[in-house]
């Protein structure tokens, strides 16, 4: 356990050396195909994951693998341009390691984005869904093992995993800018295969609106540390027992590009307006 604390502290010290001005108010994690958000950052410094000790390295196309410190709308942010996933072979502690480091750096708010498959029949490809809740179906829990008492309690409350205030602000921004947004439940599965029609159907029966292979572990660890969290999910494909479209990673990235302007507008204005 002490070794894990030491790794967090070591990594935080290295990243801190790149934070030359103000502590970031927001940490941002970019999901598949959402890398254009990084163009909105007024960059002060950046560092590749491979040059950060103990930091997991992204192996998936569409995930660049660098940490960017800078400003969006004149507020300081620390952005992960590319995340790592459980399906890449990392443990849950490794997947969520960056979230531990963010807390060590004093960051209080986390914004996540991802690409997901929609199972709600009212959804369309290219929709942006504000995640209001999630269902964790990963085979390993990120808090399994000895509790990190310095960061949070053994049994953290998950009654409000996603900030109601941040969700309300996103909905207000969407309304003011005439952006169609959905709101729903995200189901996290291990991957890396896309879901079968029956699995999409299972997700819908369980109460999910969209399904993906990320986000849930990071949110759990962020809430363990009492970080305020919000997440946006781009619906990049649709599935269910009655529809079985062919899905490829390239199609997911293309659909993410369609939704990108709306995601950028929502995130920029949330950062600008949220107090």
């Amino acid at each position: 356990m002490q070794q894990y604390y030491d790794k967090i502290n070591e990594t935080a010290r290295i990243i801190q050396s790149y934070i030359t001005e103000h502590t970031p108010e927001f940490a941002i994690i970019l999901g598949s195909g959402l890398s254009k958000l990084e163009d909105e950052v007024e960059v002060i410094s950046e560092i590749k994951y491979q040059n950060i000790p103990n930091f997991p390295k992204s192996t998936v196309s569409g995930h660049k693998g660098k940490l960017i410190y800078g400003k969006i709308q004149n507020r300081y942010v620390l952005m992960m341009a590319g995340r790592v996933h459980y399906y890449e072979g990392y443990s849950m502690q490794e997947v969520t390691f960056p979230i531990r480091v963010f807390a060590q750096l004093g960051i209080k708010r986390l914004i996540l984005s991802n690409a997901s498959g929609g199972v709600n029949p009212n959804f369309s490809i290219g929709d942006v869904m504000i995640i209001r809740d999630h269902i964790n179906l990963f085979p390993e829990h990120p808090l399994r093992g000895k509790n990190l008492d310095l960061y949070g309690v053994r049994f953290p409350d998950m009654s409000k995993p996603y900030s109601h205030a941040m969700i309300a602000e996103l909905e207000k921004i969407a309304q003011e800018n005439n952006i169609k947004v959905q709101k729903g439940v995200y189901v996290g599965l291990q991957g890396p295969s896309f879901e079968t029609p029956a699995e999409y159907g299972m997700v819908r029966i369980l109460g999910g609106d969209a399904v993906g292979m990320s986000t849930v572990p990071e949110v759990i660890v962020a809430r363990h540390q009492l970080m305020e969290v919000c997440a946006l999910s781009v619906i990049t494909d649709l599935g269910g027992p009655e529809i079985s479209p062919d899905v490829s990673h390239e199609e997911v990235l293309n659909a993410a590009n369609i939704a990108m302007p709306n995601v950028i507008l929502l995130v920029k204005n949330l950062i600008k307006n949220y107090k």
Side-chain angles (χ1 to χ4, degrees), residues 40-86:
E40 303 301 316
V41 183
E42 180 188 327
V43 178
I44 297 171
S45 59
E46 61 180 52
I47 179 173
K48 293 182 178 178
Y49 295 168
Q50 63 196 46
N51 296 326
I52 305 175
N54 311 311
F55 219 75
K57 316 299 186 289
S58 180
T59 66
V60 182
S61 173
H63 294 262
K64 290 190 176 179
K66 62 181 178 180
L67 205 56
I68 303 168
Y69 170 64
K71 291 182 180 180
I72 294 179
Q73 299 289 340
N74 211 36
R75 299 181 80 175
Y76 290 92
V77 302
L78 188 63
M79 177 180 285
M80 283 183 68
R83 60 150 54 90
V84 297
H85 307 78
Y86 185 67

Side-chain angles (χ1 to χ4, degrees), residues 128 170-171 173-182 261-263 265-266:
V128 178
L170 284 168
E171 290 181 305
I173 294 164
Q175 185 175 25
E176 290 173 348
N177 291 276
N178 199 29
I179 295 174
K180 174 190 173 187
V181 291
Q182 307 285 2
N262 288 340
V263 173
L265 192 150
L266 289 166

Side-chain angles (χ1 to χ4, degrees), residues 11-21 45 47 69 105:
T11 304
R13 281 196 302 270
I14 295 298
I15 295 173
Q16 187 68 60
S17 69
Y18 286 80
I19 297 175
T20 54
E21 297 182 19
S45 59
I47 179 173
Y69 170 64
L105 292 168

Side-chain angles (χ1 to χ4, degrees), residues 85-147:
H85 307 78
Y86 185 67
Y87 66 71
E88 293 176 71
Y90 290 108
S91 70
M92 278 299 183
Q93 278 198 339
E94 290 170 319
V95 168
T96 58
F97 183 79
I99 312 302
R100 296 296 185 197
V101 174
F102 294 158
Q104 189 67 25
L105 292 168
I107 302 172
K108 306 295 186 185
R109 293 168 176 159
L110 177 65
I111 301 172
L112 304 105
S113 64
N114 63 48
S116 65
V119 300
N120 187 317
N122 297 317
F123 286 6
S124 302
I125 290 175
D127 279 356
V128 178
M129 183 184 86
I130 301 169
I131 301 179
R132 65 171 180 82
D133 203 347
H134 69 233
I135 297 172
N136 179 21
L137 294 183
F138 282 91
E140 181 188 344
H141 196 284
L143 301 183
R144 178 177 174 267
K146 186 173 174 58
N147 187 54

Side-chain angles (χ1 to χ4, degrees), residues 96 99-100 103 107-110 112 132-134 141-143 147 151-164 166 215-231 274:
T96 58
I99 312 302
R100 296 296 185 197
I107 302 172
K108 306 295 186 185
R109 293 168 176 159
L110 177 65
L112 304 105
R132 65 171 180 82
D133 203 347
H134 69 233
H141 196 284
L143 301 183
N147 187 54
Y151 290 93
V153 299
R154 169 77 283 186
F155 302 107
D157 174 39
M158 291 295 288
S159 61
K160 298 182 182 68
Y162 300 87
S163 166
H164 290 189
M166 294 177 92
T215 302
V216 171
E218 295 104 307
V219 170
I220 291 171
V221 169
R223 292 303 299 144
H224 182 243
Q225 301 169 156
L226 300 180
M227 296 177 78
E228 195 173 9
V229 178
C230 74
Y274 196 68

